[in-house]
Amino acid sequence: MNKTKSFPKDFLWGGAIAANQAEGAYLEDGKGLSTADLMPYGLMKGIQENSTDLNLYHEAVDFYHHYKEDIAMFAEMGFKVFRTSIAWSRIFPKGDELIPNEKGLEFYDNLFDELLTYGIEPIVTISHFETPWHLVKENGGWKNRKTIDHYIRYCETIFTRYKDKVKYWIGFNEINNIHTIPTAGGGILIEENENRLQAIYQASHHMFVASALATKLCQEIITDAKMGAMLSLSGVYPNTCHPDDVFETYELRRRSLFFSDVLLRGTYPSYINRIWDKHGVQVKMEGNDLELIKKHTADYLGFSYYRSTTHKAGTPILGHTGGITGTPNPFLESTSWGWQIDSKGLRYVCNELYDRYQKPLFIIENGMGTNDEIVNGEINDDYRIDYIKVHLKEMKEAIDDGVELMGYTYWGPIDIVSAGTGELKKRYGFIYVDRDNEGKGTFKRLKKKSFNWYKKVIETNGADL
Ligand code: BGP
């Protein structure tokens, strides 16, 4: 008789958003410009500094002024945790100041207090696809080793300020995405004729040192703090069983796992040397960098899982997955955005990661973005319920496989601006927001069918899916 598959009783159910995709108020109360504020077509399309086109990140869904109402609904669903990010440029508008912006600090004090009044634990991403624009434009962002100092001053400020309110932290969102979206993912601009991978791996090294220093600082300032590494780790399969497809896909996967290898194992893996040699990369390291990285590894691995893609040998890739470089998987359905739905792949990835690191995992992003329609005043998003249901079932299997899974924060419990496209019509939420791609709407919130379904999932700890 199979023992009933169940989630641990202390499983951390919740939802996840990011400051730049939800808050709006992009220049309010002293906030400085961030890289996201200059990307009207989404974070994949890079900086458009002088564009006058509508940038939906500027007002997003106005979480800055609606957070109390939204948190009340997250509490109604029974959230145990809620992940969001602090906008670095709210705290240090240019990034290199010595004194923080008090109004920025106050906002997050109020936000975390609101969560805690409902017994919801905040999970805070320190840098989620946005860096103060001044640091990037004037100082080269993470290419410049000085950015470590600015980031650590920012960390010391928020750890000290929120030490009694926040114990779950994440250093960088999807740090491996510096490959595919270097400006959003790594706060760097790749110049004309610059060696792209030299820039990416040098910046990554600075981010690794900053992560180690931040982990050390966090544990010194906040008792029982948990500092997580976080990567984008949807699945990637060989396009065919041809050994070339298989091996090149393995290399591609490892180019992502390189980041978690360094952050969780604490050393640069030997396979990276061949990649660096091949691309003329020479990473400058200083003093006790490697000792810091070795000593202060992350406590857990958070990752985003949405889909799986395929890779065909010989297909040029910009980054770690580079999207679907092979043919679409004929065994999988796709969302209206062409993301292939692969719940079994989540079980695979959970096992892959737990076998590799033997550290707790946290599914910190998973969700379905699609074009929800209001029909007769209702939004019947059965497709979203089905998407989540099949993924939760595979998570239970992974737990039964022996994987230590800390929790699940559904990506976008409320509609927010897409990172990939800068649009609002790609909706993820259990809560609909009346605002469209043209920036029109009342910001009114409306529960979708999935709202009460997810509430029941949490109430029953995922028992009857
Ligand atoms: C991840 C990001 C999130 C979120 C998600 C969904 O890479 O960490 O910020 O945006 O992708 O992607 P999109 O918003 O493009 O649908």
Side-chain angles (χ1 to χ4, degrees), residues 191-293:
E191 311 297 342
E192 280 289 301
N193 311 319
E194 181 175 18
N195 178 336
R196 178 188 173 87
L197 290 179
Q198 172 65 35
I200 284 170
Y201 283 112
Q202 185 65 60
S204 300
H205 178 69
H206 294 151
M207 293 166 86
F208 293 146
V209 173
S211 298
L213 289 169
T215 302
K216 176 175 179 292
L217 201 57
C218 191
Q219 285 156 353
E220 285 166 355
I221 297 173
I222 306 174
T223 46
D224 75 9
K226 298 268 180 278
M227 177 62 82
M230 195 271 182
L231 276 76
S232 163
L233 286 171
S234 287
V236 56
Y237 300 146
N239 197 49
T240 69
C241 51
H242 189 296
D244 289 352
D245 281 351
V246 174
F247 186 70
E248 208 179 280
T249 303
Y250 176 79
E251 283 186 309
L252 181 61
R253 185 62 171 177
R254 212 166 48 174
R255 210 170 292 186
S256 249
L257 296 175
F258 162 73
F259 292 84
S260 35
D261 284 352
V262 176
L263 290 171
L264 290 153
R265 290 173 163 169
T267 55
Y268 273 96
S270 56
Y271 61 77
I272 200 64
N273 297 317
R274 182 169 181 165
I275 295 172
W276 286 356
D277 292 348
K278 180 179 173 188
H279 297 283
V281 172
Q282 292 186 325
V283 173
K284 278 186 288 308
M285 302 183 190
E286 291 184 17
N288 63 344
D289 287 0
L290 294 177
E291 198 185 308
L292 282 168
I293 289 169

Side-chain angles (χ1 to χ4, degrees), residues 28-30 64 90-91 100-108:
E28 197 155 326
D29 292 336
Y64 193 79
R90 268 199 211 290
I91 313 303
N101 170 33
E102 178 55 27
K103 279 224 167 280
L105 289 169
E106 263 167 39
F107 170 68
Y108 292 104

Side-chain angles (χ1 to χ4, degrees), residues 18 21 128-129 173-174 177 230 306 339 365 411 417-421 426 428:
Q21 293 172 255
H128 189 130
F129 282 171
N173 179 66
E174 298 192 337
N177 254 331
M230 195 271 182
Y306 288 95
W339 288 18
E365 289 182 25
W411 177 262
V417 183
S418 157
T421 64
K426 187 177 187 187
Y428 280 88

Side-chain angles (χ1 to χ4, degrees), residues 93-111:
K94 290 168 63 189
D96 58 5
E97 299 90 340
L98 297 177
I99 313 294
N101 170 33
E102 178 55 27
K103 279 224 167 280
L105 289 169
E106 263 167 39
F107 170 68
Y108 292 104
D109 259 328
N110 297 335
L111 172 57

